[in-house]
Amino acid sequence: MFKKLILLALCLLLAACGRAPDTDALRADVERSLAATYGQDLFRIAELRRMGSATDSTAPPGEKRRVVYYDVDLELARDISLGAWDQPGAASLVTLLGAGPRSISGVKSGGNQAGDRIVAHASAIYRQEDGAWKLVTPAGFKAAEAPSLDTGAPPTVTRQLLDTLDQITHSVSYSASSTAQHVVQQELERSVARINGRLSRLQQGYPLAGGPDRGEYLAFSRALSDVARARQIRVSPLITGGGADNIALLRSGDAVVGLAQADTARLAYEGKGPFAKQGPFPGLRALGSLYPEMVHIVVRDDPALRGVTDLKGKTIALGPEGSAVRATLESVLAAHGMQAGRDYTVVETPFIAALPLLHSGAVDAAAQVIGVPATPLRDALIPAQLKLLPLDAAAIKTLTSENSVLMPLDISAGTYPNQPERIPTVGMAALMLTTTDLTRDEALVVVRAVYQTGQDLLAAGSAQGSQVSAATARVGLSVPLHDGAEEGIAELERGKPR
């Protein structure tokens, strides 16, 4: 009988360990994490359901870890915009809950109100220490692809406009003025080209030059494709090499809309830097600012590395020579009194490829300008072997005073795993671009789809999508705004979208 009791006790102990940490401990840890980042009075956990757990196969040797999966229903106690650029928002929420963008719903463009519910399929990693389970960091996520679009039919052209056009062409054909005939011929050729372009876009969709596979630009493009479908707008995301490649596709006409950072767009518009050979691109236009992209400087978690100036004599991965992003990163280092070749050695390895090199010691730092949270960096920071360096206050002041594209920003606490404090830095806007070939009415259609109030780009798959709002659509523009976009943003600002 005694042996049976011992076996029963062991079974109960193993069962408890298998489910550990329990729901109460999980709830307390979630409440603590939310309060640390957003304050005590923003979120109330209306419901939390523990959905199960599994052994963490990625745990370091010698550590016992478990991934706990749970569903949580959060109620907002007050009005807030989780898409604001200057405070903890949905990016921090994604990280703190260990959720993918598609796993969180309820974050609204234009802001949420008290009483709104935000629901998430979430996860957390726990490590066993001295018989107890301690929260280490949320689990990572992988972006999912947006579904393809349905087909649609273009609208018909009114008979009245065709009759008017017929009267004009017939009246001019009998005119003795060759100049008048030439004017009509030119306008008809332009109209035919624009009509054909618009009909093609209605049938085939708006080709949107996004970015590399698994990158933030492509994730946003696919999310936009998803939400635009509700407005019967066909957006076709394209996998590209990034901002400079996207602008080349706009110039050639192979894309109608494209994404690029503000500094890249300005250089293309002026025909400088990497665009000097092509010359100015005067037809480049902005449809609006989307979200901030911030300077990230990542190093190993070494106590000796506390600021940017500690990188003197180090090797830094800045990406390909001649790129607009690299020029921005070099200016950031220069503002800290550091010059390439004199104070540090440059490696041209791209940011994502440089992250594993940091772990191995092949490079000492990797830098990039990217939206938050950057998925590859989020995954890389989970093991707590890397960290972000803050920029010096004096350097931030110098950079923003000398370059109108740059603005002072913070990477809010909790945006990344193992990041308990805010990181002062600088950033710029990610822009949605087009050309003057896009008609006013088409620009209106696209702008309304992008900035419509109440949409949830986060739930559609973009971690940065919650920061897209008509309230920030003009922030950080570096090229002229398209006339149709100007009209569309103005009506959204007035709260009268069609």
Side-chain angles (χ1 to χ4, degrees), residues 28 63 75 79 128 134 174 176 278 335 356:
E63 283 194 10
E75 182 179 358
D79 297 353
Q128 194 172 40
K134 179 181 178 182
Y174 294 107
Q278 299 96 313

Side-chain angles (χ1 to χ4, degrees), residues 145-459:
E145 293 189 6
S148 59
L149 292 163
D150 298 325
T151 58
T156 59
V157 182
T158 64
R159 183 74 253 172
Q160 181 180 1
L161 288 174
L162 287 175
D163 288 343
T164 302
L165 183 60
D166 184 63
Q167 292 171 11
I168 293 173
T169 54
H170 276 80
S171 65
V172 172
S173 64
Y174 294 107
S175 168
S177 171
S178 60
T179 302
Q181 293 179 20
H182 185 61
V183 167
V184 171
Q185 179 182 345
Q186 282 185 322
E187 292 302 324
L188 285 175
E189 287 173 349
R190 289 197 188 99
S191 296
V192 168
R194 290 167 78 86
I195 289 170
N196 283 335
R198 289 189 67 179
L199 291 177
S200 174
R201 290 190 281 273
L202 281 169
Q203 294 168 338
Q204 304 299 325
Y206 291 87
L208 196 168
D213 193 21
R214 298 188 179 276
E216 312 303 334
Y217 276 3
L218 190 62
F220 173 83
S221 301
R222 287 171 170 161
L224 179 59
S225 172
D226 199 6
V227 301
R229 185 187 300 106
R231 298 180 70 93
Q232 303 299 309
I233 302 167
R234 302 167 52 79
V235 174
S236 303
L238 305 177
I239 296 176
T240 71
D245 194 14
N246 295 346
I247 290 173
L249 291 170
L250 289 174
R251 193 189 286 260
S252 67
D254 293 318
V256 177
V257 183
L259 307 181
Q261 292 170 339
D263 58 351
T264 303
R266 182 171 67 181
L267 290 173
Y269 182 76
E270 297 174 351
K272 296 179 180 178
F275 305 97
K277 289 184 179 180
Q278 299 96 313
F281 189 180
L284 188 63
R285 293 291 183 270
L287 291 170
S289 295
L290 298 174
Y291 53 81
E293 298 197 76
M294 305 182 193
V295 171
H296 290 61
I297 300 179
V298 189
V299 297
R300 287 184 294 280
D301 193 7
D302 182 345
L305 299 176
R306 302 178 62 184
V308 178
T309 54
D310 294 328
L311 294 177
K312 285 188 176 181
K314 305 294 185 181
T315 300
I316 308 174
L318 296 180
E321 185 178 2
S323 68
V325 171
R326 174 152 162 186
T328 297
L329 294 172
E330 288 179 340
S331 71
V332 169
L333 294 169
H336 290 81
M338 299 170 60
Q339 297 295 328
R342 185 191 71 187
D343 301 297
Y344 62 92
T345 302
V346 177
V347 174
E348 296 189 5
T349 307
F351 182 68
I352 294 175
L355 293 175
L357 298 182
L358 274 172
H359 283 287
S360 67
V363 298
D364 299 304
Q368 179 61 297
V369 185
I370 196 169
V372 295
T375 304
L377 178 56
R378 181 178 186 264
D379 293 342
L381 285 168
I382 284 177
Q385 296 172 349
L386 304 177
K387 66 180 180 181
L388 291 161
L389 290 183
L391 271 58
D392 293 346
I396 292 174
K397 185 176 181 180
T398 298
L399 288 163
T400 53
S401 64
E402 293 179 352
N403 187 341
S404 60
V405 166
L406 294 175
M407 60 189 85
L409 292 167
D410 290 337
I411 300 175
S412 299
T415 298
Y416 292 103
N418 307 302
Q419 184 221 327
E421 299 178 351
R422 69 180 181 90
I423 305 294
T425 186
V426 294
M428 66 189 71
L431 305 183
M432 176 164 280
L433 302 169
T434 188
T435 70
T436 50
D437 290 337
L438 195 72
T439 67
R440 167 192 161 278
D441 287 338
E442 285 182 301
L444 273 170
V445 165
V446 174
V447 164
R448 287 167 182 160
V450 173
Y451 298 106
Q452 57 185 304
T453 301
Q455 72 176 355
D456 196 344
L457 281 162
L458 177 66

Side-chain angles (χ1 to χ4, degrees), residues 2 39 43 47 65 69 80 110 113 138 142-143 147 165 176 180 297 365 388 439 447 458:
F2 182 72
F43 289 111
E47 187 177 3
R65 294 189 179 190
Y69 303 97
I80 189 173
Q113 297 180 329
K142 300 297 179 186
L165 183 60
I297 300 179
L388 291 161
T439 67
V447 164
L458 177 66

Side-chain angles (χ1 to χ4, degrees), residues 33-34 37-38 82 87-98 104 138 372-373 378 411-416 419 463 466:
S33 297
L34 290 170
T37 298
Y38 297 96
L82 290 170
Q87 63 187 34
S92 298
L93 195 62
V94 165
T95 295
L96 292 177
L97 296 180
I104 298 180
V372 295
R378 181 178 186 264
I411 300 175
S412 299
T415 298
Y416 292 103
Q419 184 221 327
S466 63

